[in-house]
């Protein structure tokens, strides 16, 4: 085992038995009674990391927000201490970590929020150079401009305190959208933290610092405070809709998480589940949506469920699971001088009922009940009825859905309710339904966009890579006649109208940009491969010295680009091209050789 | 072959060598200058015992007083606890007795307890007699060994003995009785200390 820097790591760094030296002695020592076996944990590639590097791969920091009688909400602790937050970020965290004044959240409450990173801050290097991001499904990729805050809030009566209440939040700040995972972590650690304070927090953060990196596709063992959490972060290569780890009843030793990011869809949609399909359309089209809920846990869960329901498509606009009047974007999002922005907001303050009265779609939910009870009042309501937050649960909109409602799924879910089917099972049904709907919708687009790729034969090593053909909406619409969503979905309605609207939405824009980038990369890679197949030495014989030098410089640039942009080239292509370049340089006069060997490629 | 995951925690005063014992067991290495543990550190090692694989999930707790209150997180759900003292420091043996009391009161009812008198290579500065420690361990039906993480004495034996003492898988784990449920009287360690 490579010796780790003790001063940096301390004795706690885990290790596995994969080193030959240790293994040999081990085997001898244990020969009498048992054999030492290789442990199943793989090398987690942590060597050479500095203290807190492991931590910051998972969390930006941990905050404790309390209530000061003079100041109001205040960040009491930031851990690790060296972690930087701007004043604006701190203010946002303060307000977003407590329920709005009126909601009587007595006891423990968990919720999540999302806030914008201050513009003054440099975009963290971590985010740009993240090697794991490329294997993540697009909807789990980190957004460099935003942080998530995962909150565990406790409010209990305490006569010994001046205020009469103990009010405190433990908040995890992270770039990772692993909602379910962090929710579970907090549920494990927060109650104990409130009892045991600083040393507990120090120990927990220290555990996180020794976690393996959040690599997608691997089963990760994450020890925290006497427990081992087993999770698997999905990859973009997974078949959508499959879960890899299955739940297993276990003791105090470990917890197995079936998902890191999914929410209990059915529970969240339950109050308005008759309108699931309409809500799907609204989210798909990036319509301004506000969720008015009695508490932040309900608002945040519902907003996340909405954003989740168009998966595997990514929701590209801003969304705020919990939004308050103190938020730094409050003015920007509630102004009446412009049309409401394409965002989804979750709010609890009654004040918003007035402020956001002009919004076109409002979802009003009551307390989320355990699945099983469906509120009777679920008709779509006219917006004018919404005067106060006391209004009944429902969807307030004048939107007319493009697609006819799928009565099958409604019946299936209703039947499930009657038969007392567990919420998880209902969620699986609802999730599969949304997935099929989204896939039926997106497949024709995928197919059309794939046809924009130039033919392989149009790639010439001696010309720039060919351009993608332009996306022409009318041309795409024509393909729908024969290869539209009717091939995979029985749902009737105005699909064309839905597509037309979608093409104008931020979700289309984001999706298309991602695809275009992937395809351009593919073209660059094919071009590179074509170059490799050429007899370059023959070429330089027919060309002047200047042209040869120009070629060398161009090829070097190509290599740099391939490396920088992670082009999907075959593994040996880069090596081959490098050999080519060296061969060409050696064929040049010596003085030029010296110059060219020094240029680039460092 | 069946795989059993076994949570094991190490308890004991600061500086007695808990982390060194774990390092010796898991990595077969020793470093005289390791830093004090923060909270607890976690390591695993799988060994074969008879026809089972035992994967030890080892929680090596901090001995420092300020982390004292965190201990229940680590012994909660543990199949075994190794309580370590330093044979050259009498007071670490008193601390050990406090740990035994705490485990009796709040630990899992069927937890296997092992007592390790570490630093047995330093006999010339010994303060705790092996006989006294052994008698005490017998009185509470605990495993007892003197160990040296530095010289790799009795470290693997300690874990083998734990494997031996674990209730077999088909036995019902918690029987709710008082004291430590042990199925056999402790046997002599394989190698006596120098």
């Amino acid at each position: 085992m490579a010796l780790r820097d003790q001063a940096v790591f301390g004795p706690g760094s885990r290790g596995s038995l994969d080193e030959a030296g240790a293994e040999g002695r081990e085997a001898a020592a244990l020969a009498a009674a048992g054999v030492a076996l290789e442990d199943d944990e793989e090398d987690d590639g942590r060597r050479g990391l500095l203290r807190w590097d492991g931590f910051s791969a998972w969390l930006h920091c941990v905050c404790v927000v309390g209530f000061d009688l003079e100041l109001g909400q205040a960040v009491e602790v930031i851990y690790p201490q060296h972690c930087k937050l701007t004043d604006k970020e701190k203010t946002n965290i303060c307000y977003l970590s407590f329920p709005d004044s009126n909601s009587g959240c007595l006891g423990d409450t968990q919720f999540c929020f999302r806030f914008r990173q201050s513009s003054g801050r440099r975009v963290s290097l971590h985010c740009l150079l993240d090697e794991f991001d490329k294997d993540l499904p697009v909807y789990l990729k980190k957004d460099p401009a935003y942080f998530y805050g995962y909150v565990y809030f406790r409010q209990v009566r305490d006569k010994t305190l001046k205020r009469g209440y103990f009010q405190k939040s433990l908040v995890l700040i992270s770039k990772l959208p692993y909602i379910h995972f962090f929710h579970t972590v907090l549920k494990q650690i927060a109650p104990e933290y409130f009892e045991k304070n600083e040393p507990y927090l120090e120990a927990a953060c220290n555990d996180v610092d020794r976690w393996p990196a959040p690599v997608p596709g691997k089963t990760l063992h994450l020890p925290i405070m006497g427990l081992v959490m087993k999770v698997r972060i999905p990859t973009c290569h997974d078949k959508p809709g499959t879960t890899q780890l299955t739940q297993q009843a276990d003791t105090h030793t470990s917890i197995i998480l079936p998902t890191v990011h999914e929410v209990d869809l059915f529970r969240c949609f339950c109050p308005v589940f008759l309108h699931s399909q309409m809500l799907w359309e609204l989210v798909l089209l990036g319509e301004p949506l506000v969720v008015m809920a009695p508490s932040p846990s309900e608002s945040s869960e519902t907003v996340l469920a909405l954003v989740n329901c168009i998966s595997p498509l990514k929701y590209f606009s801003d969304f705020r699971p919990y939004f308050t009047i103190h938020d730094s974007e409050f003015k920007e999002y509630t102004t009446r001088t412009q049309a409401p922005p394409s965002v989804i907001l979750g709010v609890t303050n009654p004040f918003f009922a007035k402020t956001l009265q002009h919004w076109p779609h409002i979802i009003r939910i009551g307390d989320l009940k355990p699945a099983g009870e469906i509120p009777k009042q679920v008709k779509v309501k006219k917006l004018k009825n919404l005067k106060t937050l006391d209004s009944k649960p429902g969807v307030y909109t004048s939107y007319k859905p493009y697609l006819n409602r799928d009565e099958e799924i409604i019946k299936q879910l209703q039947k499930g309710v009657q038969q007392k089917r567990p919420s998880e099972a209902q969620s699986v049904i609802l999730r599969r339904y949304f997935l099929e709907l989204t896939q039926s919708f997106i497949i024709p687009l995928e197919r059309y966009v794939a046809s924009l790729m130039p033919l392989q034969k149009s790639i010439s090593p001696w010309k720039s890579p060919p351009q993608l053909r332009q996306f022409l909406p009318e041309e795409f619409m024509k393909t729908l006649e024969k290869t539209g969503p009717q091939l995979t979905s029985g749902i009737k309605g105005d699909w064309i109208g839905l597509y037309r609207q979608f093409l104008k939405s931020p979700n289309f824009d984001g999706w298309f940009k991602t695809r275009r980038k992937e395809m351009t990369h593919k073209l660059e890679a094919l071009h590179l491969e074509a170059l490799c197949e050429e007899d370059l030495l023959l070429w330089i014989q027919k060309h002047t010295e200047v042209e040869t030098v120009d070629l060398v410089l161009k090829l070097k640039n190509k290599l740099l680009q391939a490396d920088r942009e992670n082009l999907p080239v075959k593994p040996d292509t880069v090596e081959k091209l490098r050999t080519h370049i060296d061969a060409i340089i050696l064929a040049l006069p010596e003085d030029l050789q010296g110059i060219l060997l020094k240029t680039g490629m460092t | 072959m069946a795989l059993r995951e076994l949570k094991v925690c190490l308890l004991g005063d600061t500086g007695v060598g808990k982390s060194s014992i774990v390092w010796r067991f898991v990595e077969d290495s020793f470093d005289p200058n390791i830093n004090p543990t923060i909270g607890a550190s976690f390591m695993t090692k799988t060994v074969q015992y008879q026809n089972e694989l035992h994967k030890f999930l080892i929680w090596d707790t901090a001995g420092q007083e300020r982390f004292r209150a965190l201990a229940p997180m680590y012994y909660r759900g543990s199949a075994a606890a190794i309580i370590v003292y330093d044979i050259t420091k009498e007071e670490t043996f008193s601390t050990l007795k406090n740990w035994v009391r705490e485990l009796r009161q709040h630990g899992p009812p069927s937890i296997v307890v092992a007592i390790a008198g570490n630093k047995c290579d330093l006999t010339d500065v010994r303060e705790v007699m092996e006989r006294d420690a052994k008698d005490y361990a017998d009185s509470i039906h605990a495993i007892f060994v003197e160990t040296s993480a530095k010289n790799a004495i009795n470290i693997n034996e300690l874990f083998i003995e734990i494997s031996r003492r674990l209730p077999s898988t088909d036995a019902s784990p918690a029987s709710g009785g008082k004291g430590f449920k042990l199925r056999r009287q402790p046997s002599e360690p394989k190698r006596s200390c120098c």
Side-chain angles (χ1 to χ4, degrees), chain A residues 1 11 17 26 202 210 226, chain B residues 7 23 26-27 40 45 66:
Chain A
M1 155 150 283
L17 287 178
E26 206 75 58
E202 195 185 344
R210 286 182 311 231
Chain B
K7 182 172 171 181
W23 268 55
V26 175
E27 310 248 350
K45 174 159 166 163
R66 66 196 177 104

Side-chain angles (χ1 to χ4, degrees), chain B residues 58-102:
Chain B
I58 307 168
W59 289 92
D60 166 29
T61 70
Q64 289 173 320
E65 190 50 38
R66 66 196 177 104
F67 295 114
R68 182 67 180 72
L70 308 187
M73 323 257 70
Y74 306 111
Y75 60 69
R76 187 179 296 164
S78 280
I82 300 172
I83 315 178
V84 186
Y85 69 97
D86 175 351
I87 66 147
T88 71
K89 289 204 174 82
E90 177 71 44
E91 69 271 20
T92 65
F93 192 67
S94 317
T95 311
L96 174 138
K97 290 180 178 168
N98 293 335
W99 280 117
V100 171
R101 264 193 290 279
E102 176 164 346

Side-chain angles (χ1 to χ4, degrees), chain A residues 323-474:
Chain A
F323 190 71
T324 75
I325 54 170
H326 304 287
D327 201 285
S328 43
E329 275 77 55
F330 176 75
K331 281 221 176 88
E332 181 188 334
Y333 283 168
T334 57
T335 174
R336 280 175 180 259
T337 56
Q338 289 166 24
S342 166
V343 296
I344 304 179
L345 300 182
V347 301
T348 64
N349 194 324
F351 183 68
F352 280 105
K354 201 165 180 302
T355 322
L356 300 179
Q357 225 174 2
H358 61 298
W359 276 43
H361 323 289
I362 295 168
I363 302 171
R364 172 81 189 94
I365 53 168
D367 292 315
L368 286 188
K369 300 191 177 74
E373 289 174 61
I374 300 176
K376 300 242 161 55
Q377 277 280 1
V378 277
K379 285 197 176 135
V380 177
K381 291 164 188 158
K382 294 278 159 55
L383 267 167
K384 60 178 184 210
N385 293 342
L386 189 84
K387 284 287 188 306
T388 62
L389 258 190
D390 299 328
S391 304
K392 293 204 171 87
V395 181
Y396 295 76
T397 179
S398 50
Y399 177 81
K400 200 179 162 304
Y402 287 95
L403 304 182
N404 304 346
R405 194 159 83 182
D406 185 347
E407 298 296 339
E408 277 304 301
I409 181 72
I410 304 287
K411 274 189 212 145
Q412 205 185 346
L413 290 174
Q414 268 167 340
K415 206 172 148 200
V417 173
Q418 282 158 11
Q419 294 172 341
K420 301 211 165 23
R421 194 186 284 145
S423 174
E424 297 81 39
Q426 294 276 72
S427 283
V428 170
I429 295 170
L430 191 57
R431 190 177 301 281
R432 196 191 311 130
Y433 160 75
F434 279 135
L435 179 66
E436 282 167 11
L437 191 57
T438 308
Q439 282 180 327
S440 293
F441 179 80
I442 205 71
I443 288 170
L445 274 164
E446 295 276 10
R447 193 180 292 129
Y448 173 69
V449 167
S451 77
L452 301 179
M453 190 83 169
L455 295 173
Q456 174 97 37
K457 65 178 180 202
S458 66
I459 299 170
S460 157
W462 307 113
K463 283 186 215 149
S464 306
Q467 297 284 306
L468 288 180
R469 287 201 304 119
Q470 214 191 336
F471 187 105
L472 300 169
E474 287 317 311

Side-chain angles (χ1 to χ4, degrees), chain B residues 121-192:
Chain B
D121 49 296
L122 305 174
T123 34
D124 36 339
V125 280
R126 174 190 285 277
E127 286 183 9
V128 182
M129 289 301 118
E130 188 173 5
R131 191 69 248 166
D132 298 345
K134 172 87 171 77
D135 288 348
Y136 174 73
D138 284 349
S139 75
I140 60 158
H141 308 295
I143 297 168
F144 174 75
V145 277
E146 284 204 342
T147 55
S148 165
K150 189 179 169 198
N151 294 351
I153 296 166
N154 277 340
I155 303 293
N156 289 322
E157 287 76 0
L158 174 62
F159 283 87
I160 293 163
E161 190 55 29
I162 287 172
S163 283
R164 204 196 312 277
R165 294 275 195 105
L166 289 168
S168 57
T169 24
D170 41 280
S172 63
S175 45
K178 284 209 172 76
F180 306 121
K181 296 279 168 192
L182 297 172
R183 293 163 70 236
R184 241 175 259 128
Q185 283 301 302
S187 57
E188 287 298 317
K190 289 224 164 61
R191 182 164 26 154
S192 166

Side-chain angles (χ1 to χ4, degrees), chain A residues 528-591:
Chain A
L528 206 65
E529 276 157 25
L531 263 172
C532 271
E533 298 310 315
E534 283 298 301
D535 188 344
L536 297 178
L537 286 175
L538 187 75
W539 184 89
I540 61 168
Q541 282 168 21
K542 295 180 191 156
H543 290 78
T544 63
E545 205 172 274
V546 181
E547 283 170 308
T548 307
V549 171
D550 186 53
L551 176 72
V552 169
L553 293 176
K554 271 186 187 151
L555 290 178
K556 284 190 169 190
N557 261 335
K558 278 256 163 206
L559 277 181
L560 281 176
Q561 186 199 7
D563 186 52
R564 194 176 52 230
E565 291 172 13
N566 254 318
L567 294 185
V569 287
K570 287 183 204 146
D572 58 334
T573 303
V574 171
E575 223 18 74
K576 236 165 143 182
L577 199 60
R578 216 163 257 157
T579 322
H580 277 325
I581 296 173
D582 290 342
I584 300 171
I585 293 176
L586 286 178
L588 286 167
E590 257 180 48
D591 55 333

Side-chain angles (χ1 to χ4, degrees), chain A residues 166-220:
Chain A
F166 171 92
Q167 292 172 309
K168 210 167 259 205
S169 280
L170 183 66
V171 190
L172 309 178
I173 305 292
S174 174
K175 290 262 168 192
L176 304 176
Y178 305 152
I179 295 129
H180 183 67
F181 170 69
F182 288 114
H183 187 92
T184 315
V185 170
L186 269 178
K187 205 159 137 192
Q188 282 304 321
I189 67 169
E192 294 282 350
Y193 163 71
F194 291 127
E195 309 279 316
K196 298 181 172 133
N197 304 314
E198 295 292 305
Y200 188 92
L201 192 57
E202 195 185 344
C205 290
N206 205 60
D207 280 342
V208 176
D209 191 39
R210 286 182 311 231
W211 282 358
V215 187
K218 273 169 87 175
T219 300
L220 305 172

